[in-house]
């Protein structure tokens, strides 16, 4: 029941089935249904199509039986009698025009209202016009042999069937190619190295200044307030430790590696401020809890207060750092300026406390 | 005979529910060839009658399933009439079309 179409024409059939489904739905609506199940609709459409086809086929058989190719009304009426329910008294002498099937159809047409199909339809299936191959005469070519008449389609062009070797078009010599490749590789390498150094510079800012504190005297711990983690007094219980900025790789190799790094921003407070800010960003309560600690907390508090003033500036700076790594030159200049600002401000607050 | 001629000419003005193009397509698929529009419309109307009969039979089944009898009024009639698959199958059975629908499918296409 579900298949319907005979081999291969299912795509053309699809349109017909959809149209039949629409027509069937309209009929159901006229009968009084508000809605119809999808599977029921498909089934009913299938049945309707089958009925149509069977009727047409039977009519065609009858016309063939009468040695005709074109069917007429009588063929159809006889087909209707075949397909429909058997008439109460099948009388062969009765004229065909009085057939019960026909009468029923006429009654149906008379009493039921006209339900035109909802949409206009094109003629289908649409035959696609195919471009015929041009003939010899149309192309103006002479056929290659006298045995070939000129009204036949022309022979295809030789490039469609003959395989000719294709040489690659080399504009440059192989040596030039190699040079070009090496140059591109070098460019890529240099940009990668620059990126690496930029990332490391932000990390080294923190650690380099820590090293400076280490190399300096211990009195700097209390005076400068940078809070070297190793030299600071132990935290009171319940306080959290400051979170160190995590930059890959540099944490472990902080000692020897950064000694040779060119100091870019020699600022104590700025470095510490960045750490504190990242701590406060990453570990929300870190800054607050430090305030509960002992002397270290006091320093942290002050630094926190100082840094909060510049925190927004710092945030902007960090954002800029993160977003535009490529504009390193501008960043460095700005950082230098900002660093000088912060140093002066930091020194003032230090002096005040 | 006159009746038939009149009817065919009447059909030429009548617009059946199955569109002419659809009927032409399926008739051509079956080999039915006719130049008379009236005959093709007769075919279309016959199919329409067939479907309408099935639909009305299914409607009877539907009403039987819904309400107890003709005594119900008001609320029951306003209930939504849906042509369900089961009603259709029962209606088709009277016409000699036997159909069985599987209750459930063990495998869905998504299950592979």
């Amino acid at each position: 029941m579900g298949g319907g179409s005979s081999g291969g024409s299912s795509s053309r059939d699809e349109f017909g089935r959809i149209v039949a489904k629409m027509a069937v739905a309209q009929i159901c609506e006229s009968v009084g249904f508000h809605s119809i199940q999808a599977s029921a609709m498909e089934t009913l459409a299938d049945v309707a199509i089958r009925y149509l086809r069977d009727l047409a086929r039977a009519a065609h058989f009858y016309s063939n039986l009468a040695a005709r190719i074109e069917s007429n009304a009588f063929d159809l009426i006889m087909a209707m009698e075949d397909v429909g329910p058997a008439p109460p008294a099948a009388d062969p002498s009765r004229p065909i025009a009085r057939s019960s099937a026909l009468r029923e159809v006429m009654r149906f047409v008379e009493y039921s209202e006209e339900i035109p199909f909802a949409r206009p339809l094109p003629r289908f299936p649409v035959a696609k016009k195919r471009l015929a191959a041009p003939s010899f005469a149309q192309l103006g070519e002479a056929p290659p042999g006298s045995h070939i008449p000129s009204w036949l389609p022309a022979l295809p062009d030789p490039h469609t069937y003959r395989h000719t070797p294709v040489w690659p078009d080399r504009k440059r010599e192989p040596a030039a190619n190699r040079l070009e490749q090496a140059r591109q590789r070098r460019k890529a390498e240099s940009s990668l190295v620059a990126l690496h150094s930029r990332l490391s510079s932000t990390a080294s800012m923190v650690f380099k200044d820590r090293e400076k504190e280490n190399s300096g005297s211990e009195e700097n711990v209390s005076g400068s307030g940078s809070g070297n983690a190793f030299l600071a007094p132990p935290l009171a219980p319940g306080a959290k430790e400051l979170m160190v900025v995590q930059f890959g790789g540099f944490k472990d190799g902080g000692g020897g590696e950064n000694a040779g790094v060119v100091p870019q921003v020699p600022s104590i407070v700025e470095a510490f401020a960045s750490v504190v800010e990242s701590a406060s960003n990453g570990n929300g309560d870190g800054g607050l809890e430090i305030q509960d600690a002992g002397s270290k907390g006091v320093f942290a508090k002050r630094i926190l207060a100082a840094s909060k003033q510049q925190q927004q500036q710092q945030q902007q700076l960090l954002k800029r750092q993160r977003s535009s790594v490529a504009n390193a030159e501008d960043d460095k200049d700005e950082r230098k300026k900002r660093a000088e600002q912060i140093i002066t401000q930091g020194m003032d607050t230090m002096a005040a406390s | 005979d006159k009746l038939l001629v009149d009817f065919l000419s009447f059909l030429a003005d009548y617009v059946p529910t199955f569109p002419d193009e659809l009927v032409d397509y399926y008739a051509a698929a079956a080999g039915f060839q006719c130049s008379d529009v009236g005959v093709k419309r007769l075919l279309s109307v016959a199919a329409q009658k067939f479907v309408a009969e099935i639909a009305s039979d299914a409607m009877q089944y539907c009403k039987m399933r819904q309400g107890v009898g003709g005594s119900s009024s008001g609320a029951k009639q306003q209930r939504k009439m849906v042509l369900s698959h089961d009603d259709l199958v029962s209606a088709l059975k009277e016409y000699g079309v036997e159909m069985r629908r599987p209750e459930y499918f063990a495998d869905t296409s998504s299950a592979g």
Side-chain angles (χ1 to χ4, degrees), chain A residues 188-259:
Chain A
E189 272 176 35
S190 62
S191 55
L192 222 115
V193 163
L195 175 67
H196 223 229
S197 66
R198 243 169 265 125
L199 283 180
S200 73
S201 74
T202 37
S204 73
M205 248 169 34
V206 183
F207 289 98
K208 196 181 41 54
D209 298 310
R210 286 273 176 94
E211 291 307 312
K212 269 192 174 175
E213 302 315 309
N214 254 340
S215 58
S217 48
E218 271 118 67
E219 60 210 46
N220 274 344
V221 177
S222 55
S224 67
S226 68
N228 193 345
F230 300 109
L231 300 179
L235 291 172
K240 274 197 188 169
E241 208 174 359
L242 273 179
M243 198 176 78
V244 185
V245 176
Q246 308 273 347
F247 279 114
F250 288 96
K251 209 170 164 206
D252 305 324
E257 219 175 270
N258 291 327

Side-chain angles (χ1 to χ4, degrees), chain A residues 163-174:
Chain A
H163 178 71
T164 49
V166 176
W167 300 107
D169 191 14
R170 282 208 224 142
K171 294 217 175 85
R172 293 183 285 188
E173 304 159 36

Side-chain angles (χ1 to χ4, degrees), chain A residues 16 32-37 39-40 43 49 53 55 59-60 70-71 76 104 109 114-115 117 121-123 125, chain B residues 10 15 17 19 21-22 24-26 29 31-35 39 43 45 49 55 59 81-83 85 88 99 101:
Chain A
F33 282 108
H34 295 128
S35 56
I36 175 170
Q37 262 187 1
S39 56
T43 309
I49 290 174
R53 281 191 127 133
L55 260 188
H60 180 65
E70 283 215 3
S71 316
L76 190 53
E104 281 186 26
V109 168
E114 203 167 315
I115 318 166
F117 191 69
L121 275 186
R123 275 206 69 83
Chain B
F10 169 74
V15 181
T17 308
E21 293 84 3
L22 185 75
D24 283 347
Y25 174 65
Y26 283 112
F32 182 86
Q33 209 179 340
C34 189
S35 44
V39 175
L43 179 61
V45 163
K49 169 173 164 293
M59 176 72 109
M81 304 290 291
V82 181
L83 175 58
H85 201 264
L88 186 61
M99 263 191 66
R101 187 169 77 149

Side-chain angles (χ1 to χ4, degrees), chain A residues 1 9 12-13 15-17 19-20 23-24 26-28 31-37 39-41 43-44 47-49 51-53 55-57 59-60 69-74 76-77 80 96-97 101-102 104-106 108-109 112-117 121-125, chain B residues 1 3-4 7-8 10-11 13-19 21-27 29-36 39-40 42-56 58-60 62 77-88 92 97 99 101:
Chain A
M1 193 63 149
S9 62
R12 302 155 77 201
D13 227 25
F15 186 69
R17 289 171 127 258
V19 169
V24 155
Q26 278 184 266
I27 295 175
C28 286
V31 167
F33 282 108
H34 295 128
S35 56
I36 175 170
Q37 262 187 1
S39 56
M41 179 157 89
T43 309
L44 200 50
V47 167
I49 290 174
Y51 189 79
L52 258 182
R53 281 191 127 133
L55 260 188
R57 227 180 68 196
H60 180 65
I69 48 171
E70 283 215 3
S71 316
N72 59 21
F74 299 114
L76 190 53
I77 295 171
M80 283 194 319
I96 188 76
L102 180 62
E104 281 186 26
V105 172
M106 287 167 74
F108 172 77
V109 168
S112 74
E113 50 185 66
E114 203 167 315
I115 318 166
F117 191 69
L121 275 186
R123 275 206 69 83
F124 72 98
Chain B
D1 276 346
L3 206 62
L4 182 57
F7 185 56
L8 286 181
F10 169 74
L11 276 183
D13 293 329
Y14 186 83
V15 181
T17 308
F18 286 105
E21 293 84 3
L22 185 75
V23 172
D24 283 347
Y25 174 65
Y26 283 112
F32 182 86
Q33 209 179 340
C34 189
S35 44
D36 191 3
V39 175
K40 283 191 276 211
L42 181 58
L43 179 61
S44 162
V45 163
Q48 185 179 346
K49 169 173 164 293
F50 184 66
V51 173
E53 279 177 3
I54 295 176
S56 60
M59 176 72 109
Q60 301 297 322
C62 194
Q77 279 171 11
Q78 283 160 17
R79 200 173 296 174
K80 219 170 165 197
M81 304 290 291
V82 181
L83 175 58
S84 69
H85 201 264
D86 297 326
D87 290 338
L88 186 61
L92 281 175
V97 182
M99 263 191 66
R101 187 169 77 149

